[in-house]
Amino acid sequence: MLTRKMVERPRRWNTKFIRDYMVLFGLVSSVFDFLTFGTLLFLFPRSPEEFRTGWFIESLITELVIALVVRTRHVFFRSRPANFCWRVP
Protein backbone atom coordinates (compact mmCIF):
# COMPACT_ATOMS: atom_id res chain seq x y z
CA MET A 1 0.00 0.00 0.00
CA LEU A 2 1.37 3.40 -0.98
CA THR A 3 1.45 5.77 1.97
CA ARG A 4 2.05 9.50 2.20
CA LYS A 5 5.37 8.82 3.95
CA MET A 6 6.59 6.77 0.97
CA VAL A 7 5.65 9.57 -1.43
CA GLU A 8 7.27 12.33 0.63
CA ARG A 9 10.55 10.47 1.04
CA PRO A 10 11.18 7.98 -1.77
CA ARG A 11 13.35 4.97 -1.09
CA ARG A 12 16.35 3.86 -3.15
CA TRP A 13 15.98 0.85 -5.36
CA ASN A 14 17.75 -2.29 -4.21
CA THR A 15 19.46 -3.22 -7.48
CA LYS A 16 20.92 -6.45 -6.08
CA PHE A 17 17.43 -7.65 -5.13
CA ILE A 18 16.06 -6.66 -8.56
CA ARG A 19 18.91 -8.48 -10.34
CA ASP A 20 18.46 -11.64 -8.27
CA TYR A 21 14.70 -11.48 -8.75
CA MET A 22 15.04 -11.16 -12.53
CA VAL A 23 17.50 -14.08 -12.71
CA LEU A 24 15.25 -16.29 -10.55
CA PHE A 25 12.10 -15.55 -12.55
CA GLY A 26 13.99 -15.93 -15.82
CA LEU A 27 15.22 -19.38 -14.80
CA VAL A 28 11.81 -20.48 -13.52
CA SER A 29 10.15 -19.23 -16.71
CA SER A 30 12.70 -21.07 -18.86
CA VAL A 31 12.14 -24.31 -16.95
CA PHE A 32 8.37 -24.04 -17.48
CA ASP A 33 8.91 -23.26 -21.16
CA PHE A 34 11.14 -26.33 -21.64
CA LEU A 35 8.70 -28.56 -19.74
CA THR A 36 5.80 -27.27 -21.82
CA PHE A 37 7.76 -27.63 -25.05
CA GLY A 38 8.74 -31.22 -24.22
CA THR A 39 5.23 -32.13 -23.08
CA LEU A 40 3.59 -30.70 -26.18
CA LEU A 41 6.20 -32.18 -28.49
CA PHE A 42 6.59 -35.71 -27.10
CA LEU A 43 3.54 -36.54 -24.97
CA PHE A 44 0.85 -34.80 -27.03
CA PRO A 45 2.05 -34.64 -30.63
CA ARG A 46 -0.38 -32.41 -32.51
CA SER A 47 -0.50 -30.14 -35.51
CA PRO A 48 1.60 -26.96 -35.49
CA GLU A 49 -1.53 -24.85 -34.87
CA GLU A 50 -2.47 -26.86 -31.77
CA PHE A 51 1.14 -26.74 -30.56
CA ARG A 52 1.16 -22.94 -30.86
CA THR A 53 -2.20 -22.73 -29.06
CA GLY A 54 -0.93 -24.85 -26.16
CA TRP A 55 2.27 -22.80 -25.98
CA PHE A 56 0.25 -19.56 -25.97
CA ILE A 57 -2.07 -20.77 -23.19
CA GLU A 58 0.91 -21.85 -21.03
CA SER A 59 2.63 -18.51 -21.59
CA LEU A 60 -0.53 -16.59 -20.73
CA ILE A 61 -1.12 -18.52 -17.51
CA THR A 62 2.55 -18.10 -16.51
CA GLU A 63 2.39 -14.33 -17.07
CA LEU A 64 -0.82 -14.04 -15.05
CA VAL A 65 0.72 -15.93 -12.13
CA ILE A 66 3.84 -13.73 -12.29
CA ALA A 67 1.65 -10.61 -12.22
CA LEU A 68 -0.05 -11.91 -9.07
CA VAL A 69 3.27 -12.75 -7.42
CA VAL A 70 4.95 -9.45 -8.28
CA ARG A 71 2.14 -7.18 -7.09
CA THR A 72 2.59 -7.89 -3.37
CA ARG A 73 5.27 -8.40 -0.76
CA HIS A 74 3.16 -11.02 0.99
CA VAL A 75 2.35 -14.59 0.01
CA PHE A 76 0.58 -14.07 -3.31
CA PHE A 77 -2.30 -16.52 -2.80
CA ARG A 78 -3.24 -15.00 0.59
CA SER A 79 -3.00 -11.41 -0.55
CA ARG A 80 -5.99 -9.52 -1.91
CA PRO A 81 -5.81 -6.63 -4.37
CA ALA A 82 -6.49 -3.17 -3.00
CA ASN A 83 -9.57 -1.16 -3.87
CA PHE A 84 -9.18 1.20 -6.80
CA CYS A 85 -8.52 4.78 -5.74
CA TRP A 86 -7.56 7.92 -7.62
CA ARG A 87 -5.49 9.58 -4.90
CA VAL A 88 -2.78 8.64 -2.44
CA PRO A 89 -4.21 8.05 1.06
Side-chain angles (χ1 to χ4, degrees):
M1 179 176 194
L2 191 63
T3 63
R4 190 169 302 280
K5 183 179 179 183
M6 294 171 96
V7 174
E8 289 173 357
R9 188 162 187 220
R11 295 178 290 168
R12 288 190 161 277
W13 285 13
N14 184 347
T15 54
K16 183 179 183 292
F17 173 76
I18 294 170
R19 182 199 65 215
D20 294 345
Y21 191 77
M22 289 172 54
V23 168
L24 176 68
F25 266 97
L27 291 173
V28 169
S29 179
S30 296
V31 167
F32 274 104
D33 284 342
F34 285 125
L35 287 173
T36 301
F37 188 82
T39 301
L40 292 174
L41 192 61
F42 299 115
L43 294 179
F44 303 106
R46 302 283 186 217
S47 69
E49 292 80 15
E50 291 171 327
F51 180 88
R52 279 185 237 130
T53 301
W55 187 274
F56 174 77
I57 291 171
E58 182 272 337
S59 297
L60 183 64
I61 291 171
T62 303
E63 293 302 321
L64 289 172
V65 169
I66 289 172
L68 290 173
V69 170
V70 171
R71 72 175 175 80
T72 182
R73 292 179 185 227
H74 306 292
V75 180
F76 75 95
F77 55 85
R78 291 189 182 157
S79 158
R80 302 203 34 108
N83 293 334
F84 182 77
C85 68
W86 287 97
R87 58 186 168 82
V88 177

